[in-house]
Structure formats: structure tokens, C-alpha cells
């Protein structure tokens, strides 16, 4: 005699039902690992540019180091050598340096 046991059928999840959950998880990871840090960095850059004032030492996006001599709404005059000034857009300022950096170079 053969006894056949009825095993309850395990619930099989369809891959299509899991797809939306995976997409949401990937989007959340993408947001926190890429988009959010980039937004934070852009905000810091905007704040640094807004706080520029005469006498600040800066580096332009082209790598030119100098001291701010004049600040207007969209442009900044930067002294790169004695009696040598250039005018650059504020957005071209890459970073502000600590005071005295130019003398130590």
C-alpha cells in the first residue's frame, strides 16, 4: 500500500509582484547615496559664494589663487599678484581658503 500525503502547496510569489518593491528600494538607495549628498554640497557652495567679501582668499575653478578685492552681484575681482586683478563670475569661485594661505604658498 502506498500512502500519499497531501503537502500544503507553498505560496509562490510572482516576480511581477516583487518588481514595484524593488524599484522603490532602488530609488530610495539612489536618493540617499547620490542625490542627497550632491544637494548638500551645492547648498554649501551657494552659501560660500553668498558669504564672499573683500579680503577673502579664494581658488577659482581654473585653479587660480587670489584675494578678493571687490564683490558685486554676479562678479568678483580677484588680485592674483601685486597690481594684477582679474574679474570672474561668482560661480567660478571653487573654494574659500583660510586666511594667510596665499602667504604660505
Amino acid at each position: 500500500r502506498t500512502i500519499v500525503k497531501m503537502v500544503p502547496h507553498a505560496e509562490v510569489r510572482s516576480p511581477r509582484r516583487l518588481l514595484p518593491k524593488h524599484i522603490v528600494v532602488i530609488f530610495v538607495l539612489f536618493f540617499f547615496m547620490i542625490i542627497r549628498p550632491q544637494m548638500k554640497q551645492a547648498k554649501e557652495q551657494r552659501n560660500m559664494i553668498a558669504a564672499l567679501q573683500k579680503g577673502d582668499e579664494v581658488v577659482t575653478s581654473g585653479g587660480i589663487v587670489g584675494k578678493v578685492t571687490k564683490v558685486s552681484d554676479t562678479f568678483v575681482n580677484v588680485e592674483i599678484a601685486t597690481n594684477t586683478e582679474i574679474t570672474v563670475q561668482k560661480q567660478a569661485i571653487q573654494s574659500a581658503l583660510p586666511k594667510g594661505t596665499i602667504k604660505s604658498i
Side-chain angles (χ1 to χ4, degrees):
R1 273 167 83 174
T2 307
I3 300 176
V4 178
K5 274 187 159 178
M6 296 297 289
V7 178
H9 183 32
E11 181 182 335
V12 177
R13 291 186 173 179
S14 168
R16 289 184 179 174
R17 287 181 58 200
L18 293 177
L19 188 61
K21 292 177 186 177
H22 285 88
I23 291 174
V24 169
V25 168
I26 290 171
F27 178 75
V28 168
L29 287 174
F30 186 76
F31 178 78
F32 282 105
M33 295 183 76
I34 296 173
I35 297 172
R36 192 164 183 246
Q38 185 177 3
M39 289 175 13
K40 183 179 177 185
Q41 184 180 20
K43 182 178 179 183
E44 290 172 359
Q45 181 77 7
R46 280 192 310 271
N47 292 340
M48 184 268 303
I49 289 172
L52 281 177
Q53 55 188 353
K54 184 177 177 179
D56 287 346
E57 296 178 3
V58 296
V59 176
T60 67
S61 58
I64 299 172
V65 178
K67 185 178 284 191
V68 175
T69 58
K70 180 182 172 188
V71 179
S72 67
D73 290 339
T74 55
F75 292 97
V76 176
N77 286 8
V78 180
E79 182 180 40
I80 56 175
T82 306
N83 297 324
T84 307
E85 286 189 9
I86 59 172
T87 303
V88 297
Q89 290 182 332
K90 279 187 170 182
Q91 298 300 320
I93 302 297
Q94 186 69 35
S95 63
L97 301 172
K99 299 280 185 188
T101 302
I102 294 177
K103 289 182 182 180
S104 67
I105 294 178

